[in-house]
Amino acid sequence: MSGSPKYSTVTVAPAYARLEAERRRAREAARRRMEAQRARERAERAARRAQEAAARRERARAAAERREAELAERRAAQQRARTDRLRQEQAGADARRLAEVRELLDGVRADHPEVQVLRERLDRIQGRLDRTGDGDGDLDGGLGTTIEELRGRVVVLGAEHEAAVRGADHGAVLAGLEGRLARTGPDAREQDPQGYRHCVELLAELRATAGPGGETRFQALLGTVEHALARHAATAAETAAEALRQAEREQRAQQARQQAEQEAEERAAAQEAARQAALEAEQDRVATLLAEAADRLGVVRQSVEEAAAEARELADTALAQRIEAALTAVTDPLAAGAAADALTAVAALEELLVDAESRLDEAQLAYTRRMDLAQALQDAMIGEGFAFTGGAEQDGRLLLSFERPSGATYETTVTEDGEGTPVLVYHVDGEPDVVLRPDPEGAVCDRTEDLLERVHEAIVERDGFVPGRLTWQGRPPGRQAKRRPDTEEWSWNR
């Protein structure tokens, strides 16, 4: 039967089964302690993340409040600048009008009782203008209207003064009328150019009648000139008032446009701030998820790598590849910033690790069982005079080599069947006891079988494993090991 493989299914003895159960419970307890430690570390890291997130939110809130305050201050500064500019422009225009009215008032008789009252009103207006220039005045447009009212009153006083001196010589009358036209101011010439030209023409005509013999014509034309001057002054004053009202309307329109522009800028700024806040919130959310995934990976990574290495050591290549692929499924999204994918993958990795460690514990128990069986076999073979020539591990199987003094070699494989039951497989070479008989009686190897049965009996004596009936292809029915009643001892019978 040299070269024909022989098999023996090995039963685990009760004492060894109890030992193995104790080992299994110890490993389960260690796994529970490890998982509890990971849970504590995950909770600690989650608490730190929560504190950091709260600090980030507080910093973001403070920054938002600071930006809002800065924006409000800029808006207020812009509004103050616009107000100051408008105030200065209006004050300048009112100051020019006031100077014109003062000049008109200077042409009126100083002893007129109303002149002093007008001068006092003009002084009060000047004080208001000075305060406006210092930024303390109003922008209600009331000064311009008041100044124009005073202008009209001064013009009336001038006309009354001219009427009082109408009886003077023609030269004095002409001088008074020309002064009256001049006192309407340069703005009146622009505000009523046609009336101004008409007045100039009438004054020229009146001057032509001022000579000897023109008294009647002079007096007749004098009323026309006075009427033209009064109408020119009134038209210029009305035009100036309308121009003032138009300026005020334009000013209000400009203020409205500026207000609208400011509101549009503020809306745009608010929209940009909201967009930026949303972007920062999304970035913070992604960063939070990435931090959680990285923390959870940090808790299990060492255990995951150790599990993959142990799986390869225990020849469970498929499990090692699953673990390594699950780890890559976490690290790649983390590197790419794909928070949701990384978080999903790390949850799957955590679940896989629990299952893998349980599976590896069983694999380790099976490995220890194979090693213990191999040691028992080695001791028994040496006890039967075999020399141990070497051993190796291959794909989860232990390969042991022995040699008899006769030179025969026994290659023994310690492996398991599909249900995890230990199996011994012998390959014998160099034994001369193979006798082939016609079927169905099969092949008989008496001396080799007896030798291996003695080896098996020695293994049983170690109180760990009980090898079953030795069989091979074509082996006829024969003796097998039986357990003695009410004991854990085994005997061999033919």
Side-chain angles (χ1 to χ4, degrees):
M1 63 167 283
S2 295
S4 178
K6 287 157 280 296
Y7 308 90
S8 176
T9 300
V10 180
T11 302
V12 176
Y16 191 89
R18 286 192 296 271
L19 176 61
E20 195 170 76
E22 292 176 0
R23 292 172 177 171
R24 181 174 289 106
R25 285 192 294 271
R27 285 184 169 274
E28 289 174 351
R31 284 203 313 273
R32 287 193 296 270
R33 289 192 299 271
M34 178 61 71
E35 187 54 37
Q37 179 180 345
R38 292 176 191 145
R40 287 192 298 273
E41 186 175 354
R42 279 193 290 266
E44 291 171 358
R45 294 191 179 207
R48 285 197 299 270
R49 288 197 308 274
Q51 292 175 350
E52 293 169 358
R56 285 197 304 272
R57 287 193 297 272
E58 179 60 24
R59 290 194 296 270
R61 185 193 60 79
E65 291 180 352
R66 184 171 59 254
R67 287 194 299 268
E68 182 61 28
E70 292 172 354
L71 179 60
E73 178 57 29
R74 284 198 301 271
R75 289 197 297 265
Q78 292 170 355
Q79 183 61 36
R80 289 194 298 270
R82 283 195 294 269
T83 302
D84 291 342
R85 184 173 60 255
L86 293 173
R87 180 182 289 112
Q88 293 296 335
E89 292 173 355
Q90 182 171 320
D94 290 340
R96 288 191 299 272
R97 296 189 187 96
L98 187 63
E100 294 171 1
V101 174
R102 283 187 182 278
E103 186 177 353
L104 288 174
L105 188 59
D106 290 340
V108 180
R109 277 188 0 226
D111 59 351
H112 193 285
E114 195 173 347
V115 170
Q116 185 60 32
V117 175
L118 291 174
R119 289 190 187 280
E120 292 175 357
R121 291 189 64 184
L122 291 176
D123 289 341
R124 287 196 297 271
I125 292 173
Q126 184 64 54
R128 291 181 62 185
L129 282 176
D130 293 341
R131 290 193 298 274
T132 299
D134 293 336
D136 296 332
D138 299 327
L139 285 174
D140 55 5
L143 285 181
T145 303
T146 302
I147 291 171
E148 291 305 318
E149 291 176 354
L150 291 177
R151 182 195 298 273
R153 182 57 187 156
V154 171
V155 170
V156 171
L157 286 179
E160 293 175 353
H161 172 68
E162 291 170 0
V165 298
R166 186 172 295 176
D169 61 76
H170 293 176
V173 172
L174 277 171
L177 293 173
E178 289 174 349
R180 180 177 171 183
L181 178 61
R183 285 192 298 273
T184 58
D187 290 344
R189 184 182 307 177
E190 298 176 358
Q191 293 159 352
D192 183 24
Q194 184 177 356
Y196 177 79
R197 287 193 300 270
H198 184 54
C199 290
V200 171
E201 293 171 355
L202 289 175
L203 284 173
E205 187 176 349
L206 184 63
R207 187 177 297 106
T209 64
E215 180 66 25
T216 301
R217 178 62 179 163
F218 185 88
Q219 292 297 328
L221 189 58
L222 180 60
T224 302
V225 173
E226 290 177 343
H227 177 71
L229 288 173
R231 185 174 61 185
H232 171 57
T235 301
E238 177 59 27
T239 303
E242 178 59 29
L244 178 61
R245 289 190 293 270
Q246 180 62 28
E248 291 173 351
R249 287 193 294 269
E250 293 177 355
Q251 185 180 29
R252 287 192 295 269
Q254 181 181 3
Q255 289 176 338
R257 288 193 299 271
Q258 291 175 343
Q259 182 66 27
E261 291 174 359
Q262 179 178 349
E263 291 175 355
E265 292 175 358
E266 291 174 358
R267 285 194 300 273
Q271 291 173 354
E272 176 60 23
R275 188 194 66 81
Q276 185 65 29
L279 177 61
E280 291 175 357
E282 176 61 18
Q283 291 174 342
D284 183 70
R285 185 187 71 82
V286 171
T288 300
L289 293 179
L290 286 174
E292 179 183 354
D295 276 351
R296 289 170 64 176
L297 176 61
V299 171
V300 300
R301 184 160 194 164
Q302 182 177 353
S303 298
V304 166
E305 293 173 346
E306 291 174 352
E310 185 178 0
R312 291 195 178 277
E313 290 175 359
L314 295 174
D316 196 342
T317 305
L319 179 59
Q321 291 174 344
R322 281 184 60 198
I323 296 172
E324 291 165 353
L327 179 59
T328 302
V330 179
T331 55
D332 285 354
L334 274 177
D341 293 342
L343 203 56
T344 300
V346 79
L349 180 63
E350 291 168 343
E351 183 177 354
L352 175 61
L353 177 61
V354 174
D355 294 339
E357 287 178 334
S358 176
R359 178 170 168 176
L360 288 171
D361 281 349
E362 290 299 322
Q364 184 64 52
L365 290 173
Y367 174 78
T368 302
R369 188 188 311 125
R370 288 194 300 272
M371 291 296 294
D372 289 344
L373 177 57
Q375 186 62 51
L377 175 66
Q378 180 179 342
D379 293 344
M381 295 287 277
I382 292 173
E384 290 297 324
F386 284 86
F388 178 65
T389 59
E393 183 178 0
Q394 180 179 351
D395 298 331
R397 298 174 298 165
L398 297 177
L399 308 178
L400 306 177
S401 299
F402 302 93
E403 184 176 350
R404 294 188 66 191
S406 64
T409 60
Y410 285 66
E411 300 290 338
T412 305
T413 301
V414 182
T415 184
E416 295 175 350
D417 62 13
E419 298 179 354
T421 302
V423 177
L424 296 175
V425 182
Y426 300 95
H427 291 270
V428 180
D429 187 28
E431 291 287 7
D433 64 334
V434 176
V435 178
L436 298 179
R437 297 176 181 172
D439 291 336
E441 296 181 35
V444 177
C445 308
D446 289 338
R447 284 188 295 178
T448 300
E449 183 179 7
D450 290 342
L451 177 59
L452 291 178
E453 285 179 352
R454 290 196 301 273
V455 169
H456 288 178
E457 289 175 351
I459 292 175
V460 172
E461 292 175 357
R462 292 175 62 91
D463 199 25
F465 303 95
V466 182
R469 181 187 183 192
L470 190 65
T471 185
W472 59 87
Q473 185 177 4
R475 186 197 194 287
R479 57 193 180 279
Q480 59 183 355
K482 294 184 180 179
R483 184 174 176 179
R484 295 177 180 176
D486 302 324
T487 69
E488 294 183 358
E489 296 181 357
W490 295 70
S491 63
W492 288 84
N493 298 310
R494 290 189 178 274

